[in-house]
Amino acid sequence: MINKIARSVADALAGIQDGATVLIGGFGTAGIPGELIDGLVEQGAKDLTVVNNNAGNGETGLAALLKAGRVRKIICSFPRQADSQVFDGLYRSGKIELELVPQGNLAERIRAAGAGIGAFFCPTGYGTQLAGNRETREIDGKQYVLEYPIHGDVALIKAERGDRWGNLVYRKAARNFGPVMAMAAKKTIATVHDIAELGTLDPETVATPGIFVHQVVRIERVATQAGGFKKAA
């Protein structure tokens, strides 16, 4: 019997190894798998490469993972924000490596990994430092830069509901990077607020089929306040 429900966050994260590439969902305060990030801090894996929309807020969640010294490199679109002091301090002191990727390129590089695409040409970044020394090509009179997929060893994502087969339904904007990250990783761990009985999820609402999900952990529902601080619902 297929049953991907994990007993706890700790059990779900137990296999993450040092040096892993970890894809972490979330955009702003929507869809951040906070419980999994906190669990990863406790789990102890180090020398991680983290792929995320930003480089953390305040000193919780991803910022706490950075502060614990577990991240060697971060690949993101928005490393600097008003409350990104943890990343800023690490970067200025040379303790963390940054790969800055335009957000559309980031999403497409992750999607390409899940779709089995070896590389693709994109116009964003051409003629700038972001293009680096990568191959460029003129296509129909327009210049493009060669981009490569971003594969993950593990993806940590947050969904609204799931079943024991790993089928996932998201809530509005909390969906963001979840579906493409689940496809791009060797192992996907998802938190959900509700465990649905098998067969009760409307197939039309399942954005991530269970074939891409390995562990599902139920978490309590909390209300997210402005700035990303949480309180009990």
Side-chain angles (χ1 to χ4, degrees):
M1 183 180 71
I2 298 175
N3 187 358
K4 299 180 180 179
I5 308 301
R7 291 179 297 179
S8 66
V9 167
D11 284 351
L13 297 174
I16 299 178
Q17 300 180 351
D18 294 350
T21 296
V22 184
L23 315 180
I24 301 179
F27 182 91
T29 58
I32 298 174
E35 291 79 4
L36 294 178
I37 299 173
D38 292 345
L40 187 56
V41 174
E42 294 294 325
Q43 191 260 8
K46 58 183 184 298
D47 295 325
L48 302 173
T49 295
V50 167
V51 183
N52 189 253
N53 176 65
N54 60 43
N57 304 94
E59 298 195 5
T60 61
L62 179 54
L65 186 65
L66 269 60
K67 189 175 182 178
R70 305 289 170 69
V71 181
R72 177 186 63 82
K73 176 181 179 180
I74 188 162
I75 302 173
C76 71
S77 298
F78 298 97
R80 293 291 304 280
Q81 302 172 93
D83 59 351
S84 59
Q85 66 270 10
V86 173
F87 166 80
D88 194 59
L90 291 171
Y91 184 72
R92 289 179 183 275
S93 61
K95 296 179 179 178
I96 193 169
E97 182 182 347
L98 168 67
E99 181 179 341
L100 186 63
V101 183
Q103 190 170 78
N105 292 27
L106 182 69
E108 187 65 6
R109 288 178 66 187
I110 298 168
R111 191 196 71 82
I117 296 172
F120 62 94
F121 283 97
C122 181
T124 307
Y126 176 80
T128 73
Q129 292 181 357
L130 291 177
N133 296 318
R134 294 196 299 278
E135 178 185 344
T136 61
R137 183 175 299 183
E138 182 178 331
I139 303 174
D140 291 333
K142 191 171 184 177
Q143 298 293 339
Y144 291 79
V145 179
L146 185 64
E147 296 280 3
Y148 291 93
I150 298 176
H151 297 269
D153 293 302
V154 63
L156 307 181
I157 60 177
K158 180 179 181 179
E160 183 71 10
R161 304 183 71 207
D163 61 24
R164 65 176 175 85
W165 281 4
N167 297 307
L168 302 178
V169 174
Y170 300 86
R171 183 179 185 273
K172 301 181 180 180
R175 172 174 171 169
N176 52 72
F177 289 94
V180 292
M181 285 185 169
M183 294 177 64
K186 296 176 183 176
K187 179 178 182 179
T188 296
I189 303 168
T191 58
V192 298
H193 295 304
D194 298 310
I195 301 293
E197 289 294 327
L198 200 61
T200 62
L201 293 177
D202 181 354
E204 295 295 330
T205 68
V206 174
T208 298
I211 193 172
F212 299 115
V213 180
H214 302 78
Q215 299 267 257
V216 176
V217 187
R218 184 186 176 280
I219 59 170
E220 295 299 323
R221 194 181 301 276
V222 297
T224 303
Q225 299 175 287
F229 300 102
K230 296 179 178 180
K231 65 179 182 180

